[in-house]
């Protein structure tokens, strides 16, 4: 059985003070037993988040890691630094990083490798933009992202990775993909993974959906066959996130 997971991607929101007060509220409002809950704040708030959540089942992850281990890379944050403060998961290759910070599939692959080798679970984001969807190229586009992201990953550890399918046209737009579109793509993703690592490992890998998930649509999304959770942006900054966690827990 794949355990459901709900991930809050806070992007560049919430100061350390705001992080503390939101997480104080969150930890008294939910009890986490059946599902995993992961919050990914900004780098500067990770330490505070880990402190607030230390006696809970809520984990804290990063939104990004450097592709380099250490050295002269001004402004970067290394995986060792993140592990030291309690991070065991990192989002990798989010579409905003691909778009605004020019992250290529090769960089995503390098980061995923580095994460796995260091015992950090990569949450690898893939997803087509509206032009691929409209020209009916979305499946082959995502297939190529998956193949490049997973190239030469350590097969022994690969079942730990998490894939997040986030159609770019559904992120922050209020426009969610339909359940059929989500299930279709996620079952293709599992099929592509099976071709790379075999069916039995592919059955263990969790696939999430992200893109305008909110308290109205979360239950129907996580109940789909090939969906093992959600990656939530905007709604994870609001009190409705409490309700969303409770729905995923059920
Ligand atoms: P959204 O963002 O929920 O605000 O659409 C999702 C994401 O970018 O991970």
């Amino acid at each position: 059985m794949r355990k459901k997971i709900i991930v809050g991607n806070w992007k560049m929101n919430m100061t350390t003070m705001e992080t503390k007060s939101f997480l104080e509220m969150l930890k008294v409002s939910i009890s986490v037993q059946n599902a995993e809950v992961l919050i990914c704040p900004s780098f500067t708030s990770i330490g505070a988040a880990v402190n607030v959540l230390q006696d809970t089942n809520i984990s804290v992850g990063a939104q990004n890691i450097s592709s380099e281990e250490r050295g002269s890379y001004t402004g970067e944050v290394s995986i060792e630094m993140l592990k030291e403060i309690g991070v065991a998961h990192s989002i990798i290759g989010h579409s905003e990083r691909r778009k605004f910070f020019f992250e290529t599939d090769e960089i995503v692959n390098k980061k995923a490798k580095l994460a796995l080798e260091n015992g950090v679970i990569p949450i690898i984001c893939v997803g087509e933009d509206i032009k691929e969807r409209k020209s009916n190229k979305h499946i082959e586009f995502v297939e190529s992202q998956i193949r490049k992201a997973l190239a030469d990953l350590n097969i022994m550890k690969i079942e730990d990775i998490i894939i997040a399918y986030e159609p770019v046209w559904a992120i922050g737009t209020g426009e969610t993909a339909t359940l059929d579109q989500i299930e279709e793509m996620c079952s293709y993703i599992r099929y592509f993974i099976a071709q790379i690592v075999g069916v039995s490992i592919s059955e263990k890998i969790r696939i999430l959906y992200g893109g305008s998930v909110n308290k109205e649509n979360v239950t129907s999304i996580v109940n789909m066959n090939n969906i093992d959770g959600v990656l939530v942006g905007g709604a994870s900054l609001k009190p409705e996130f409490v309700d969303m966690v409770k729905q995923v827990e059920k």
Side-chain angles (χ1 to χ4, degrees):
M1 257 300 268
R2 300 183 297 261
K3 198 171 192 185
K4 301 264 187 235
I5 175 166
I6 175 165
V7 184
N9 172 15
W10 284 2
K11 310 192 179 184
M12 201 171 70
N13 296 293
M14 298 263 202
T15 62
T16 300
M17 291 297 282
E18 289 164 343
T19 298
K20 282 186 194 158
S21 75
F22 188 92
L23 294 179
E24 293 287 359
M25 178 282 291
L26 186 67
K27 80 171 183 184
V28 297
S29 312
I30 56 172
S31 82
V32 182
Q33 266 137 22
N34 307 322
E36 278 175 47
V37 181
L38 175 71
I39 303 291
C40 301
S42 297
F43 287 136
T44 52
S45 296
I46 288 177
V50 169
N51 266 339
V52 174
L53 299 175
Q54 60 187 346
D55 48 358
T56 72
N57 289 335
I58 307 170
S59 314
V60 181
Q63 297 173 16
N64 181 33
I65 54 169
S66 174
S67 60
E68 301 297 331
E69 270 174 270
R70 60 170 59 215
S72 305
Y73 300 100
T74 303
E76 289 288 88
V77 177
S78 78
I79 196 153
E80 190 185 4
M81 296 166 186
L82 291 165
K83 278 180 69 175
E84 186 185 37
I85 57 169
V87 164
H89 299 76
S90 180
I91 298 172
I92 286 181
H94 188 279
S95 63
E96 287 152 14
R97 295 216 54 89
R98 293 177 189 257
K99 179 172 171 200
F100 300 125
F101 305 99
F102 314 110
E103 279 191 14
T104 61
D105 288 321
E106 289 66 35
I107 295 174
V108 171
N109 176 246
K110 194 169 175 192
K111 290 184 176 187
K113 275 187 189 146
L114 191 63
L116 271 190
E117 277 156 19
N118 285 279
V120 168
I121 295 179
I123 301 171
I124 302 169
C125 300
V126 296
E128 80 286 359
D129 211 337
I130 194 68
K131 68 174 190 308
E132 289 95 24
R133 173 67 63 174
K134 286 208 162 133
S135 57
N136 213 19
K137 296 257 171 19
H138 50 292
I139 309 261
E140 58 188 273
F141 183 83
V142 171
E143 173 175 10
S144 152
Q145 284 184 321
I146 291 280
R147 289 192 187 281
K148 289 177 180 160
L150 303 194
D152 306 321
L153 289 197
N154 184 335
I155 194 93
M156 303 294 287
K157 299 182 181 162
I158 205 163
E159 65 190 53
D160 292 339
I161 66 166
I162 298 174
I163 303 289
Y165 168 54
E166 298 205 302
V168 177
W169 48 273
I171 296 178
T173 56
E175 193 177 336
T176 326
T178 65
L179 293 176
D180 287 348
Q181 287 172 328
I182 297 173
E183 178 60 22
E184 179 191 42
M185 183 63 88
C186 292
S187 60
Y188 268 113
I189 290 175
R190 200 173 300 286
Y191 168 72
F192 299 140
I193 297 173
Q195 289 185 328
I196 303 166
V197 299
V199 174
S200 69
I201 294 179
S202 79
E203 287 298 326
K204 294 186 184 149
I205 291 179
R206 290 182 289 180
I207 303 175
L208 318 185
Y209 169 77
S212 299
V213 182
N214 57 40
K215 69 177 193 314
E216 316 302 335
N217 57 26
V218 65
T219 291
S220 48
I221 293 171
V222 295
N223 283 341
M224 305 297 289
N225 253 347
N226 277 296
I227 314 291
D228 308 303
V230 281
L231 179 50
V232 186
S236 71
L237 298 161
K238 300 183 194 150
E240 76 174 272
F241 191 66
V242 169
D243 188 32
M244 295 172 73
V245 171
K246 288 181 180 162
Q247 293 188 50
V248 176
E249 267 280 312
K250 270 191 199 144

